[in-house]
Amino acid sequence: MEERNYTKGLLEALLFLSSDPIKLSALAKSCGIEKTEARELLDELILDYQEREGGFLLREIAGGYQFITNQKYSEILSHIFKDKKRETLSRGTLDTLAIIAYKQPITLTELDEIRGVSSRAMVASLMSKKLVKAVGQKEVPGRPTLYGTTNEFLLHFGLSKLTDLPTPVEVKELKFEDFSPESIVVTEETEMNPDFDLDSLPEELKAEKTNE
C-alpha cells in the first residue's frame, strides 16, 4: 500500500508540474509501471479531486491528463486574470470550426457547400490560431487539401477526444457559441494571429487574399 501511495503521489506531482496534458504511456513510463496500473491510479486521483470540490480538478483531456481549474470559479478568475490568453473568433469562424470538427476531414469546397458562402478567410484564421490544420489531400482531381482539428482545439473546448463532442441534430444549424469556453471570445470580425507565417497556408487559402 505504501508503494502504491508513493506512485500515486508521483503521478500527481508530475501532472502538477506540467503545463500541458501528459499521455498515459508517458506517465506510466516515468513512474516505471504498466499503463493499466497508471490508469487505475489516475482514475483514483480524478475521483479524489472531484470529491474534494476544491479549486482545481484532474481531467483526461486532449489525449492526456492535466489539472484544470474548477469551472465554478471561472467567472471570478477571469476578472482576476484579465490578461489570460483568449482566442478571438467571429461567429462565422465558429460556425466553420463546428463544421470541420464534425465533418473532418473536409475540403474547402465541401465547407463552402455546407455554409453557402466562402470559408477561405475563416479557415485561414483557424489555422493561424492552431485550431485547424491540413491533414492531407483528397484523392480526387486537383487533390484539394483536407482540413481537421488540432490538439489545441481539444484543449480550448476541454475535450479528451473528438468523440466527446456533443451530438449535433443538424450540423448546418450548429452554433459553437452556445457552448463556447471561457478561452474563446466571440466577435463580429475574422482575425488572423499576427505572429502566424502566412506563407505556410495552403495555396487555396492564399487565393482570396491575392484577389482582395
Side-chain angles (χ1 to χ4, degrees):
M1 178 61 72
E2 184 177 346
E3 182 178 350
R4 180 181 175 84
N5 287 337
Y6 175 85
T7 305
K8 184 176 176 181
L10 178 58
L11 284 169
E12 185 177 24
L14 286 168
L15 289 163
F16 180 78
L17 292 172
S18 176
S19 58
D20 299 308
I22 307 178
K23 291 184 177 180
L24 175 66
S25 57
L27 287 167
K29 184 178 180 180
S30 296
C31 294
I33 58 177
E34 296 295 323
K35 288 196 292 185
T36 51
E37 182 180 357
R39 186 179 290 278
E40 287 179 5
L41 293 173
L42 288 164
D43 286 344
E44 287 182 15
L45 280 170
I46 289 173
L47 187 59
D48 288 347
Y49 281 95
Q50 184 175 315
E51 291 179 342
R52 178 173 171 267
E53 294 187 345
F56 53 98
L57 304 167
L58 179 60
R59 286 285 183 268
E60 188 174 357
I61 184 171
Y65 292 83
Q66 184 179 35
F67 279 115
I68 62 171
T69 54
N70 193 325
Q71 191 173 2
K72 68 180 180 180
Y73 302 114
S74 61
E75 185 174 350
I76 182 64
L77 288 174
S78 66
H79 288 297
I80 296 173
F81 298 98
K82 292 182 180 179
D83 59 344
K84 179 183 176 182
K85 180 185 175 183
R86 304 178 78 191
E87 292 294 357
T88 301
L89 300 177
S90 69
R91 297 182 187 280
T93 306
L94 276 171
D95 293 344
T96 302
L97 180 58
I99 295 169
I100 293 174
Y102 283 96
K103 294 291 189 178
Q104 62 184 304
I106 187 171
T107 66
L108 184 61
T109 299
E110 291 166 342
L111 267 169
D112 291 348
E113 289 176 354
I114 293 174
R115 297 188 65 238
V117 294
S118 173
S119 303
R120 280 192 179 93
M122 286 72 180
V123 176
S125 174
L126 290 167
M127 289 191 72
S128 78
K129 297 173 187 299
K130 299 181 179 180
L131 295 173
V132 164
K133 64 181 178 179
V135 296
Q137 293 177 304
K138 192 168 185 176
E139 295 300 327
V140 297
R143 293 173 57 80
T145 300
L146 288 165
Y147 298 96
T149 53
T150 64
N151 266 353
E152 195 75 14
F153 165 81
L154 295 176
L155 286 170
H156 272 293
F157 286 88
L159 303 170
S160 173
K161 50 191 178 301
L162 288 172
T163 51
D164 292 336
L165 281 167
T167 302
V169 176
E170 173 55 57
V171 73
K172 288 183 182 180
E173 299 175 359
L174 182 67
K175 303 296 181 184
F176 256 27
E177 59 261 37
D178 291 341
F179 55 96
S180 60
E182 289 292 323
S183 60
I184 299 291
V185 179
V186 181
T187 66
E188 296 302 323
E189 297 183 2
T190 300
E191 299 180 0
M192 295 285 290
N193 179 351
D195 298 324
F196 182 72
D197 180 10
L198 294 176
D199 290 335
S200 65
L201 287 173
E203 288 300 320
E204 63 184 13
L205 298 184
K206 298 176 185 177
E208 187 173 82
K209 287 194 167 294
T210 302
N211 294 334
E212 287 177 351

